[in-house]
Amino acid sequence: MRETPSRMAVGDLRRVRITGVSSPQLAWALGREISLPASLLASIGAPAGASELDLRGVEPPHLNGLADDLRVRAAFTDRTPHSARIPFTYQYVPPRVRSFIARQIGRRLRTRAGQWARFPSWPLDLSADFVADWLSGAAGGVDAVPVLLTHDIDSAGGLRNLVELFLPLEEAVGARSTSYVVPRAWKLDHGLLREAVARGHEIGVHGYDHSNRTPFLDRAERRRRLASGRAALEAYSPAGYRAPSLVRTSGLLADLADYFEYDSSIPTSGGPFPTPNNGCATARPFRTAARGVAVLLTHCERRFSGNPPMLSAYREFLEFVTATPQLTWILASRVARTAWT
Ligand SMILES: [Zn+2]
């Protein structure tokens, strides 16, 4: 892989490596690369073009809203991705062909991270959290990071694998997961859904029919789909929503508020998918400035994670989290309902 430049201008953002911090609350950022506005860097006397930033002795500037700006700057994928523009539902392309195409694209993209990960950077960009902690002087001290296990259930086979293969592994370590289920594309097996809920797991809604169009529809049609998708899974009191392929628009997010308690569609660093340079550059639930959460997303279909090597990696991950005192299990609805301080 080609090395990405350590400093990069993105609009008015520049990437700098933090080499010194002004308070213990910022210690987590030491050595990390953070994107900050060039004007902010100039205002605290950083030399133009500097790739490193030592904040010892630097008074935090008085700025309102910068952390919010960074969170939403690349949070929405308002440009239609290819998959929503083709004149037929891309799911009719056989899965193996899709996987092959994705691998080819992935191989090409890995060498060009400088273009698709200008901001947020890949694989992790915590610029918004850094700014929030720096400017507020608060936050810090995390007892245990909540870890969410989530699955996107795109097919009847995925649901079967969830219940037969994944849930037992999770339960063996005392964890429970949240599964976002496509509500209107295939026949839902309510026996399996009921069983997952009865065993302490959660169900959320994964779009409508997974054709990646809902975010771009006019408001009335989009709301009809959200209501219909929710209704299909109403028996499981779905608290949250995740957009298929993580394709989301500001219009979609605004409408979701009327149907769900939270949305889980905006990654910290989206990398190249569904569009380059997308993500919210924060590991924290947004509504309230809070501590970070870690979210694992898997697809239970055999071609993704529902196969022996991937399941064994999954078991190792579950055992690692369970054995790490700084990590603790949480369900997505509880994150949404917690008053983060
Ligand atoms: Zn999906």
Side-chain angles (χ1 to χ4, degrees):
M1 189 199 287
R2 204 176 62 192
E3 227 181 53
T4 52
S6 59
R7 177 188 54 75
M8 204 172 286
V10 188
D12 64 339
L13 292 184
R14 275 176 201 287
R15 201 179 292 176
V16 289
R17 184 182 299 280
I18 304 299
T19 57
V21 292
S22 46
S23 68
Q25 288 94 328
L26 288 173
W28 64 264
L30 271 176
R32 281 194 171 281
E33 289 194 352
I34 301 291
S35 287
L36 293 171
S39 55
L40 170 60
L41 289 167
S43 77
I44 58 170
S51 62
E52 298 189 332
L53 182 63
D54 185 344
L55 290 173
R56 281 173 296 184
V58 175
E59 196 61 28
H62 294 284
L63 281 173
N64 283 327
L66 178 56
D68 292 331
D69 289 347
L70 289 174
R71 284 182 199 120
V72 298
R73 186 185 176 100
F76 305 114
T77 59
D78 284 320
R79 235 189 55 211
T80 317
H82 294 294
S83 56
R85 270 196 310 247
I86 53 177
F88 54 90
T89 299
Y90 79 95
Q91 290 197 300
Y92 295 140
V93 179
R96 296 181 61 175
V97 175
R98 266 189 275 151
S99 296
F100 174 79
I101 294 170
R103 271 200 309 279
Q104 299 307 308
I105 294 173
R107 200 162 294 156
R108 266 211 327 265
L109 282 169
R110 267 197 295 281
T111 59
R112 285 192 274 143
Q115 288 151 48
W116 53 257
R118 289 191 299 272
F119 179 80
S121 66
W122 178 262
L124 185 65
D125 188 321
L126 298 175
S127 299
D129 296 339
F130 175 81
V131 166
D133 289 357
W134 184 34
L135 302 189
S136 74
V142 169
D143 303 327
V145 175
V147 179
L148 285 85
L149 298 170
T150 71
H151 309 285
D152 289 356
I153 305 297
D154 291 0
S155 65
L159 179 57
R160 258 193 322 275
N161 283 357
L162 170 77
V163 174
E164 285 169 18
L165 305 176
F166 287 76
L167 300 191
L169 292 180
E170 294 163 7
E171 290 160 7
V173 299
R176 295 294 184 275
S177 60
T178 303
S179 287
Y180 302 94
V181 177
V182 177
R184 298 286 185 190
W186 36 277
K187 192 169 174 352
L188 297 173
D189 185 331
H190 289 280
L192 290 176
L193 290 167
R194 265 194 301 275
E195 185 183 335
V197 170
R199 286 160 66 172
H201 302 272
E202 287 187 333
I203 301 299
V205 176
H206 190 36
Y208 179 76
D209 60 1
H210 215 300
S211 61
N212 292 350
R213 292 169 212 254
T214 305
F216 305 101
L217 295 172
D218 67 68
R219 188 152 183 267
E221 174 59 10
R222 181 165 57 231
R223 293 175 71 83
R224 189 196 68 73
R225 283 180 166 216
L226 291 177
S228 163
R230 205 204 134 90
L233 292 162
E234 191 61 50
Y236 317 104
S237 310
Y241 183 89
R242 175 174 287 154
S245 309
L246 305 186
V247 172
R248 70 278 170 186
T249 57
S250 45
L252 171 70
L253 267 282
D255 287 339
L256 285 176
D258 292 333
Y259 301 91
F260 299 98
E261 293 175 44
Y262 72 91
D263 166 72
S264 181
S265 307
I266 309 178
T268 302
S269 298
F273 299 110
T275 57
N277 299 302
N278 82 92
C280 55
T282 172
R284 304 169 184 185
F286 289 9
R287 188 177 45 196
T288 52
R291 300 162 174 183
V293 298
V295 181
L296 178 74
L297 185 165
T298 61
H299 282 78
C300 300
E301 281 76 11
R302 188 172 173 82
R303 70 180 189 280
F304 297 121
S305 298
N307 57 71
M310 291 299 282
L311 281 164
S312 113
Y314 191 61
R315 182 188 293 117
E316 274 175 43
F317 173 81
L318 294 173
E319 285 165 357
F320 163 77
V321 171
T322 306
T324 307
Q326 296 90 340
L327 302 171
T328 182
W329 298 117
I330 196 166
L331 279 166
S333 66
R334 241 194 78 207
V335 174
R337 288 165 195 160
T338 299
W340 299 88
T341 50

